Amino acid sequence: MATAVPMATRIPVRISVNGTEYAAEVEPRLLLVHFLRDNLGLTGTHVGCDTSQCGACVVYLDGKSVKSCTVLTVQADGGEVQTIEGLAKDGVYDPVQQGFWEMHGLQCGYCTPGMIMSAHSLLQRTPNPSEEEIRHALEGNLCRCTGYQNIVKAIQYAANQMSGAGVSGNGSGAGTHNPQDVGDWKGELAGEST
Amino acid sequence: MVAAQEAPAKLVGQPLKRREDPRLITGAGNFLDDVKLTGLCHAAVVRSPYAHARIVGIDAEAARRMPGVVAVFTGEDLAEVNPLPCAWQAGNVQNNVNTPRLLALGEVHQVGDPVAVVVAESAYLATDAAAAVEVSYEELPVVVDARKATEPGAPQLHDNAPNNVVMNWTCGKEAAEVDAALAAAPVRVNQRVVNQRLIPTAMEPRGSIGRYDEGTGEYTLWATSQAPHVHRLLTAAFVLGVPEQKIRVIAPNVGGGFGSKIFLYFDMPLVLWLSKQTGRPVKFFEDRSENYLHTTHGRDHITDIEVGAEPDGRITALKVKTWANLGAYLSTIAPGIPTTLYGRMVAGCYKIPNIHVDVTGVYTNTAMVDAYRGAGRPEAAFVIERVCDLVAAETGLDPAEVRRRNFIQPEDFPYDSGIGMLPYDSGNYELALDRAMENVGYAALRQEQAARRANGSRKLLGVGLSSYVEVCGVAPSKWIGLAGEGWGAGLWESANVRVHLTGKTVVTTGSLPHGQGHETTFAQLVADELGVPYDDIQIEHSDTQGTPFGFGSYGSRSLTVGGTAIYKSVAKVREKAKELAAHLLEAAPEDIVFENGKAFVRGTPDASKTIQDLALAAHVAYDLPPGMEPTLEATTFYDPPNCTFPFGTHVCVVEVDRDTGEIDLLRYVAVDDVGNVINPLIVDGQVHGGIAQGLAQALYEGAVYDDSGELITGTMNDYAIPRARMVPTYELDRTVTPSPVNPMGAKGAGEAGTIASTPAVANAVIDALAHLGVRHLDMPLTPEKLWRAMAPKTG
């Protein structure tokens, strides 16, 4: 099944994702969300629209939440990305993930990864948000199932947990990890942990 | 060891966290676009930019030469492949059927009609090449409005459908009889209402992956599907003409459906055909713009209402004429929505002696319209709940009083509304109304409203009621399969319950979730009924291989029909276990008691056989009673004797700014009766989401076409899906009137919120403006629309 696709111009990038550094050569037009999903196989980040409205693709890039459908992979060169797959630590859910589970903050689950990442980002900026602040912070994330009420409760739950337990962290991946090959994208082993 | 004497806690009724969630909150949910296959190719579709045109020529040569392109096909290449079937051909539709081909041949009838498909090594390359396919068209005249499409001289879509009429359908009494009742009524109101077109917008768009195995001749289809078995049947028998057993359909995690994923779409058979042609697995995954253009829409009715009433508010006659826009072709069950599921429900929860409903289904140059959350019942509830408020305005009665005076009473059940619906199963409509009015503080709100009106407040207060009843748990085959209703197939459901040798229990069901939490709810039910630990129970679904045929999930049927099939299979397993226990305990079967997973001789619970003991004995099978077959499992195909009829009352309180038309949602109170509840956390979540969708129709959403057939609201930038700040806090409550139709007493909860909320919100907004002489406004009720409605009064 090997296929000889003529190479368009490709740009080398090195991007840390969930603490692992990847090197690849990508087309300049390749969106970050497709790099994550198709090249790295990190399919937890979803695509729900083509106009940057829905927020299903929200990830952290250098500590800021971004819509990865609106970032070119080459723009993330040298950056640190954290996706939903990198949020739980040592098998323990992040309080935001836990909150979504506890409060029934999801139904079909398609918007959920982006919703959780945006909520996580909110709580980094505003540890004890009001309901109004929560709803405002979710302007860029659409959910069609829940009617949002339990998402609000999930984030309130997380805020309480985090303030009560003193949990903190900037949400970006850190630590020692093994570099990984990126398969047929000619990924070179980066050999460096972030 | 101390035997646990007390009964284990029952799980039914408990708000268990969902067992589905861990995978979904960690990014491990396996949605269609996440499926990884070796050698996977990507399909991109070339779509018509015109709403109505003749295809003059297609030049795909440049596209074929582009990098990474595997193949390009046009409608000519698929000329021998059947068009998609329409499975629900309501009365008189049979002669006028037009369904989509996999790729258009000769003519296109809506913007977005697929005319060619490119298969390439990546989605990017496929999209590049699709843009290079040159299609020349000769434009034809366009019509997008259902009523205009039936007028003389309107553009014609299909040769076999004169005046673009799909069907003319009626129910209830003869028109003349109802006309006479109207003429005799002292109170008369006429009103045209528009139930605008909506776009379902499941957060996951639609898609499909096809893989053909040359060695076995078998096809595998992964699809965003609410009905995998039905999709297999229709693809095999009606479109591709291959043996049904040669196709396996798998629905991975489905990211919302709301009806839009019930139907067979062009891409499902197409990817299978493409895979056979190219020798590669092929994926099609629509982007959001394609989803908005070409996946089915909902609602889109224009309705003329004539109502007659007594001065005391009793409604004596109702005549309804509806033009139902069904789009460019008939989708899978489209004709059934504005007929069986709409026309037969317009009586709502009221005793109305004279009803005539006349529905004209119409082709237009727009996306196909089919079931969308509620499917016909929201349109019906909107009509009858507007009627109640119109009668209230005309008689000067309070809207609550009008409803109260017309309610079907508890002693009237089972109740035949006289317009061809099955008898309503059970209900106590006044109780729900009373509870809702109490919860919202209705009397005080009316006083506040009067005070504000008296003092000329610029903040207009509006209170809107919606008392609804809907039909769920579709459906008894002997009813829905009748020629008059037109489905021509049953709507039973299947379940297999298998206790493995180890005691681990696997349940397969033909229903399947796309967000509703079947794996949790069904496991709660089985744990209680079988006495197997909750964690030992696995619910399997969504794959035609290994599950008996089932009709899928829609119409709030999963628990009431699918759950009953499970319940009955568990009962059969229990009976077999008792029989085996009697043998092992050397007792008569009639003396065996089965409780909490243990079988014992009545009066001697200490000498018991657990369900796990019995599963082991049934599998090793060397000591079975004479004639008993090994293993411990049962299958049920359950055909319900009736539908179920959830009901309730929702109240919305709004404040409208007299100067700007801005609307504030102050309160939203819902009292729903969905019968007995297995998982209240999940049921509340269903109601929340339903309310959000319904109120969004009242205030925000509307699919708009221009006169050339261009979808103006073609992206999420233009179509107003509600955001977190656009919805209120929902204050929920329940009454519980068990359904006598199924052993759980459940009625169904998936659509109630949507059905109830649209009229509640619309009635509230219109009520806020009532003292200015406003009787009706069409949705969505935007500030601009309100401002214009109020403007003349400001001089």
Side-chain angles (χ1 to χ4, degrees):
Chain A
M1 209 57 72
T3 49
V5 179
M7 291 281 284
T9 305
R10 292 187 187 269
I11 311 284
V13 293
R14 294 166 79 92
I15 302 172
S16 164
V17 181
N18 300 331
T20 302
E21 187 152 318
Y22 297 92
E25 292 185 348
V26 302
E27 277 191 79
R29 63 175 175 171
L30 183 70
L31 298 175
L32 179 60
V33 66
H34 292 135
F35 177 74
L36 295 170
R37 289 179 51 81
D38 299 337
N39 301 11
L40 305 189
L42 294 170
T43 53
T45 302
H46 297 153
V47 179
C49 74
D50 45 12
T51 49
S52 254
Q53 310 291 317
C54 82
C57 65
V58 169
V59 300
Y60 276 115
L61 173 59
D62 294 329
K64 287 186 176 163
S65 60
V66 298
K67 288 181 173 173
S68 60
C69 74
T70 318
V71 176
L72 296 167
T73 309
V74 292
Q75 291 176 293
D77 185 24
E80 287 183 15
V81 172
Q82 190 187 18
T83 71
I84 186 72
E85 287 94 342
L87 207 54
K89 296 282 180 261
D90 302 322
V92 177
Y93 296 144
D94 183 272
V96 180
Q97 290 173 307
Q98 191 69 33
F100 271 71
W101 193 17
E102 298 288 339
M103 294 294 133
H104 191 28
L106 64 149
Q107 290 179 28
C108 82
Y110 198 77
C111 76
T112 307
M115 200 64 86
I116 287 176
M117 297 306 287
S118 284
H120 194 276
S121 172
L122 164 68
L123 295 181
Q124 301 307 309
R125 303 189 305 270
T126 311
N128 288 297
S130 65
E131 176 170 345
E132 178 58 24
E133 286 173 316
I134 292 171
R135 289 183 185 266
H136 180 73
L138 299 179
E139 273 301 273
N141 292 77
L142 294 175
C143 170
R144 191 59 157 168
C145 293
T146 64
Y148 299 103
Q149 186 153 316
N150 287 349
I151 290 176
V152 171
K153 282 192 197 171
I155 297 169
Q156 289 168 334
Y157 173 97
N160 288 337
Q161 291 293 306
M162 291 162 86
S163 61
V167 175
S168 65
N170 66 6
S172 90
T176 304
H177 302 268
N178 294 323
Q180 291 180 3
D181 196 314
V182 196
D184 60 359
W185 283 82
K186 312 244 179 257
E188 298 296 322
L189 297 184
E192 297 286 333
S193 60
T194 54
Chain B
M1 187 175 109
V2 179
Q5 291 301 323
E6 72 277 25
K10 290 290 179 192
L11 297 183
V12 168
Q14 299 297 317
L16 294 197
K17 286 186 294 186
R18 299 197 318 171
R19 48 166 54 177
E20 289 88 341
D21 290 358
R23 64 179 185 260
L24 298 171
I25 59 175
T26 56
N30 190 36
F31 294 90
L32 182 103
D33 199 28
D34 306 340
V35 173
K36 299 174 181 72
L37 294 173
T38 304
L40 184 65
C41 293
H42 300 262
V45 172
V46 180
R47 294 177 182 276
S48 170
Y50 299 110
H52 196 190
R54 190 167 295 117
I55 300 170
V56 175
I58 302 176
D59 182 357
E61 282 318 303
R64 287 196 175 94
R65 290 195 305 269
M66 286 178 69
V69 170
V70 174
V72 182
F73 298 100
T74 70
E76 299 282 353
D77 300 310
L78 286 138
E80 300 304 313
V81 178
N82 290 331
L84 303 180
C86 174
W88 196 347
Q89 301 185 357
N92 302 330
V93 73
Q94 286 82 353
N95 297 324
N96 306 350
V97 172
N98 294 276
T99 57
R101 305 192 67 86
L102 307 194
L103 297 175
L105 190 60
E107 278 190 16
V108 290
H109 296 100
Q110 67 158 113
V111 174
D113 249 350
V115 297
V117 62
V118 174
V119 180
E121 297 294 343
S122 78
Y124 281 56
L125 294 170
T127 305
D128 289 347
V133 175
E134 295 284 346
V135 186
S136 49
Y137 298 91
E138 178 189 332
E139 285 187 71
L140 296 168
V142 169
V143 63
V144 299
D145 177 280
R147 211 168 46 83
K148 288 179 185 162
T150 61
E151 289 171 356
Q156 297 293 296
L157 270 74
H158 304 288
D159 292 343
N160 64 352
N163 304 314
N164 300 308
V165 170
V166 176
M167 79 276 188
N168 287 302
W169 180 95
T170 62
C171 73
K173 292 185 176 173
E174 292 298 322
E177 199 175 340
V178 175
D179 283 338
L182 285 168
V187 177
R188 293 286 303 276
V189 188
N190 293 352
Q191 182 67 53
R192 170 167 292 177
V193 302
V194 175
N195 200 296
Q196 83 273 29
R197 177 181 286 244
L198 302 178
I199 307 181
T201 316
M203 289 309 299
E204 179 200 30
R206 274 192 336 91
S208 47
I209 301 171
R211 183 176 66 189
Y212 177 69
D213 185 325
E214 207 174 75
T216 61
E218 290 172 352
Y219 297 87
T220 305
L221 173 66
W222 289 262
T224 49
S225 171
Q226 294 177 233
H229 288 278
V230 175
H231 289 155
R232 174 168 81 156
L233 171 67
L234 297 181
T235 299
F238 290 82
V239 183
L240 294 180
V242 302
E244 195 176 348
Q245 72 273 15
K246 292 293 187 189
I247 298 181
R248 172 185 183 182
V249 180
I250 301 167
N253 269 338
V254 177
F258 314 114
S260 69
K261 292 171 181 172
I262 300 171
F263 319 118
L264 188 71
Y265 289 92
F266 77 105
D267 50 288
M268 296 172 176
L270 182 61
V271 292
L272 297 178
W273 187 88
L274 290 171
S275 180
K276 188 172 183 182
Q277 296 292 317
T278 61
R280 303 273 298 273
V282 177
K283 172 161 76 179
F284 168 77
F285 189 61
E286 64 182 10
D287 62 31
R288 180 59 63 187
S289 300
E290 291 179 292
N291 174 267
Y292 274 18
L293 273 183
H294 196 251
T295 284
T296 53
H297 293 174
R299 319 279 191 260
D300 205 344
H301 286 193
I302 301 168
T303 296
D304 285 345
I305 301 169
E306 295 175 71
V307 59
E310 294 292 326
D312 67 0
R314 280 181 296 124
I315 300 166
T316 53
L318 175 64
K319 194 174 176 195
V320 173
K321 164 68 195 176
T322 295
W323 290 264
N325 192 339
L326 298 179
Y329 312 91
L330 294 185
S331 172
T332 311
I333 60 170
I337 309 308
T339 53
T340 302
L341 293 178
Y342 162 75
R344 299 198 190 285
M345 283 306 292
V346 297
C349 19
Y350 311 106
K351 293 196 223 189
I352 304 173
N354 299 287
I355 299 178
H356 176 79
V357 181
D358 179 331
V359 178
T360 301
V362 185
Y363 290 115
T364 64
N365 298 111
T366 61
M368 292 185 286
V369 174
D370 206 326
Y372 164 54
R373 199 171 193 173
R377 292 96 85 204
E379 297 91 313
F382 188 73
V383 166
I384 191 64
E385 290 308 295
R386 285 301 303 134
V387 161
C388 286
D389 275 26
L390 290 165
V391 168
E394 198 65 21
T395 56
L397 292 164
D398 187 282
E401 200 53 35
V402 171
R403 287 170 173 80
R404 205 181 292 282
R405 289 181 188 177
N406 287 283
F407 272 149
I408 299 157
Q409 297 300 314
E411 62 272 18
D412 294 331
F413 296 95
Y415 178 79
D416 181 353
S417 60
I419 51 176
M421 180 43 69
L422 293 169
Y424 295 5
D425 59 344
S426 62
N428 191 340
Y429 302 152
E430 198 160 6
L431 179 66
L433 173 69
D434 287 341
R435 181 81 64 83
M437 290 171 71
E438 182 188 329
N439 289 358
V440 81
Y442 188 81
L445 283 166
R446 286 294 179 205
Q447 286 170 7
E448 166 77 13
Q449 182 183 50
R452 287 197 194 186
R453 286 176 180 175
N455 69 22
S457 168
R458 310 304 285 175
K459 297 290 188 185
L460 312 180
L461 193 66
V463 184
L465 290 170
S466 166
S467 293
Y468 73 97
V469 60
E470 55 148 337
V471 54
C472 285
V474 289
S477 300
K478 68 180 177 187
W479 175 65
I480 206 74
L482 284 176
E485 298 306 316
W487 178 271
L491 271 178
W492 42 266
E493 198 45 81
S494 69
N496 173 271
V497 174
R498 177 176 304 174
V499 188
H500 285 273
L501 181 147
T502 54
K504 307 295 183 195
T505 300
V506 175
V507 177
T508 66
T509 168
S511 69
L512 65 156
H514 34 289
Q516 303 93 328
H518 290 45
E519 293 172 24
T520 302
T521 300
F522 287 161
Q524 288 177 255
L525 179 66
V526 172
D528 276 10
E529 293 297 318
L530 197 56
V532 172
Y534 174 77
D535 288 335
D536 282 356
I537 300 164
Q538 180 164 321
I539 309 298
E540 294 186 347
H541 52 78
S542 305
D543 185 345
T544 59
Q545 183 160 298
T547 60
F549 190 98
F551 283 91
S553 281
Y554 39 83
S556 306
R557 70 189 299 275
S558 292
L559 178 61
T560 53
V561 188
T564 304
I566 294 171
Y567 184 96
K568 287 180 173 293
S569 289
V570 170
K572 291 176 188 173
V573 166
R574 230 172 24 221
E575 282 311 303
K576 182 170 181 179
K578 281 171 69 173
E579 201 181 325
L580 179 54
H583 174 72
L584 297 174
L585 295 168
E586 298 178 343
E590 55 270 25
D591 293 333
I592 299 292
V593 177
F594 190 97
E595 277 179 11
N596 304 318
K598 292 192 180 74
F600 52 87
V601 179
R602 185 173 287 107
T604 57
D606 289 343
S608 67
K609 295 286 181 188
T610 65
I611 184 77
Q612 291 82 3
D613 296 335
L614 295 166
L616 175 62
H619 279 82
V620 297
Y622 56 76
D623 185 16
L624 299 182
M628 179 178 279
E629 293 177 3
T631 79
L632 190 55
E633 69 168 283
T635 300
T636 301
F637 298 91
Y638 172 71
D639 202 346
N642 193 1
C643 290
T644 54
F645 295 81
F647 62 91
T649 292
H650 289 205
V651 193
C652 182
V653 184
V654 302
E655 199 171 69
V656 175
D657 188 303
R658 179 71 175 80
D659 300 313
T660 66
E662 289 288 337
I663 300 166
D664 260 351
L665 291 159
L666 300 183
R667 298 277 302 279
Y668 196 97
V669 168
V671 175
D672 295 287
D673 195 321
V674 299
N676 288 329
V677 168
I678 290 183
N679 186 321
L681 187 71
I682 288 175
V683 167
D684 286 352
Q686 289 293 308
V687 174
H688 287 174
I691 292 170
Q693 283 182 14
L695 80 83
Q697 172 172 25
L699 299 182
Y700 311 124
E701 293 180 27
V704 179
Y705 286 92
D706 69 12
D707 289 341
S708 74
E710 190 78 40
L711 180 64
I712 301 301
T713 54
T715 73
M716 282 184 167
N717 211 12
D718 311 297
Y719 186 80
I721 296 297
R723 297 160 192 273
R725 278 211 296 183
M726 296 159 70
V727 297
T729 298
Y730 321 109
E731 304 169 47
L732 305 192
D733 198 356
R734 271 194 286 277
T735 60
V736 178
T737 308
S739 172
V741 173
N742 58 69
M744 292 95 68
K747 282 174 174 272
E751 296 160 295
T754 317
I755 292 164
S757 58
T758 306
V761 176
N763 283 346
V765 173
I766 294 166
D767 180 62
L769 276 55
H771 62 300
L772 305 175
V774 174
R775 287 288 175 270
H776 179 78
L777 292 169
D778 281 324
M779 304 179 292
L781 298 165
T782 58
E784 181 192 347
K785 204 174 279 179
L786 300 193
W787 181 79
R788 289 184 189 283
M790 296 186 288
K793 309 292 179 187
T794 55

